[in-house]
Amino acid sequence: MTATTADHHDDHHDHHPSGIGRWLFSTNHKDIGTMYLWFSFCMFIIGGLMALIVRAELFMPGLQLVTPHFFNQMTTNHALIMIFGAAMPVFVGLANWQIPMMIGAPDMALPRLNNWSFWLLPPAFTLLIGSLFSPGGAPAGGWTMYPPLSIQTGMGMDMAILAMHMMGISSIMGSINIIATILNMRAPGMHLMKMPMFVWTWLITAFLLVTSIPVLAGAITMLLTDRHFGTQFFDAAGGGDPVMFQHIFWFFGHPEVYILILPAFGVISQVIPTFSRKPLFGYSSMVFAVAAIAFLSFIVWAHHMYTVGMPLAGELFFMYSTMLISIPTGVKIFNWVATMWRGSMTFETPMLYAIGTVFLFSIGGFSGLMLAITPSDFQYHDTYFVVAHFHYVIFGGTITGAFCAVYYWLPKWTGHMYDEKLGKIHFWLTVIGMNITFFPQHFLGLAGMPRRIPDYSLQFTEFNMMSTGGALLLGLSQILFLYIVMKAIKGGEKATDQVWDGAEGLEWTLPSPPPAHTFTTPPLVK
């Protein structure tokens, strides 16, 4: 090949596709991160609409709007879409955007795998949402898919199982990519104990994903063979055991809730030091606390199953190990509060979200401690108390953590500041709506209202009305969020190099002086 053709050949490779090709074939970590974030937001809206259907039905006692079967389809799909379509992809998107920049890498380690792990998601969720239109409708056995409920439903369940497999493959590939990037592509001098907390939480989360998702895959494959191939893993009539499904499922399901929350902890650990104008208190204890939480998350799974008739020794083991998790979690809360202590604090939107997340997650943590106590759990199990607990942890921890991250990094991504006043309004509407929605559910559960039912006794009416009103406020306030993000993308005040006054420098904990090439990233917006 002559020199000129070689040059031409290189030029051809440097050519960046435009239009839809840019997104379909992208190997750029920022583009892929952006796609994850938008995909996650779309799923957040769809899952939220399903929740609003559930809440609208529960506004009054009696059956108003939907059949009990459709109600169960909505609760099941709301959960699957929110967990696998909204809460997980949003943090993979944040990881794609931020991790290479935070560790001084040019891109992710495996850019094409990165593209593939994203593009598995749209077909997976098309399948899942499409199951609503299949004969017999979508799965209606709860997101946990316990047999025998999940063995008796129609074709929609098979579509859901295939969709779950695709999401799982996507998660595992994304995790392998993140692990490979963090372990192999750090800038010179960036030792593990110098990495930003967000990178640490994602490294540990990626290991959790790689170890727990295959367990879920095993459970739903056994379910599939029970449904179609005559096996009887979970069919008591054939010598199987439905409780075995619960064990396998929760061995995945409990690490899963930490997969959802740990990256949010990482975000908070970046944001609080920034707006307190001082370094994170107890960095190494934070790292070890995350590792301890991750380890313990694998040995507490049967606290979801106290009512299945476990031996007393088993119940005691799961009770004590569950209570143990509150220690490293408490360490993290303490360190965040100590970071803010006597800091020069300001309360921009990301900081409001960070403090809100710490506060709301703590409420969820305390109700979790109540659920950990075996004899009490017999009272709370399968009531709205569990629903309240779960949403304080996942909405009040994961989703508010994601909002925190978006407001924090949006100026870096777009080159423009968002509208601060609107951001604060969005924060207050979201937090107030969230509390009106889920706080009354604690009382409903303690009074004995079971979850996953379309109808209820009269004494539960007022709290359900409050809850539905809160849900409407919570849902509508997300339209404002979309407006704020679009406005920042289109224009607005230009963001400076140091977006957050005098504090952004704390985010990079590189030894000085950093290598000259480390942080020269291409311009964020063409």
Side-chain angles (χ1 to χ4, degrees), residues 141-151 223 242 245-246 249-250 304-305 381 452:
W143 81 279
T144 50
M145 299 176 283
Y146 284 178
L149 291 173
S150 50
I151 291 178
L223 198 58
F245 178 89
Q246 297 190 27
F249 178 86
W250 286 116
H304 298 267
M305 300 169 51
H381 189 82
R452 297 180 185 168

Side-chain angles (χ1 to χ4, degrees), residues 290-312:
V290 177
I293 289 170
F295 170 73
L296 289 169
S297 75
F298 274 108
I299 59 167
V300 297
W301 77 88
H303 65 205
H304 298 267
M305 300 169 51
Y306 287 143
T307 55
V308 301
M310 253 187 290
L312 185 62

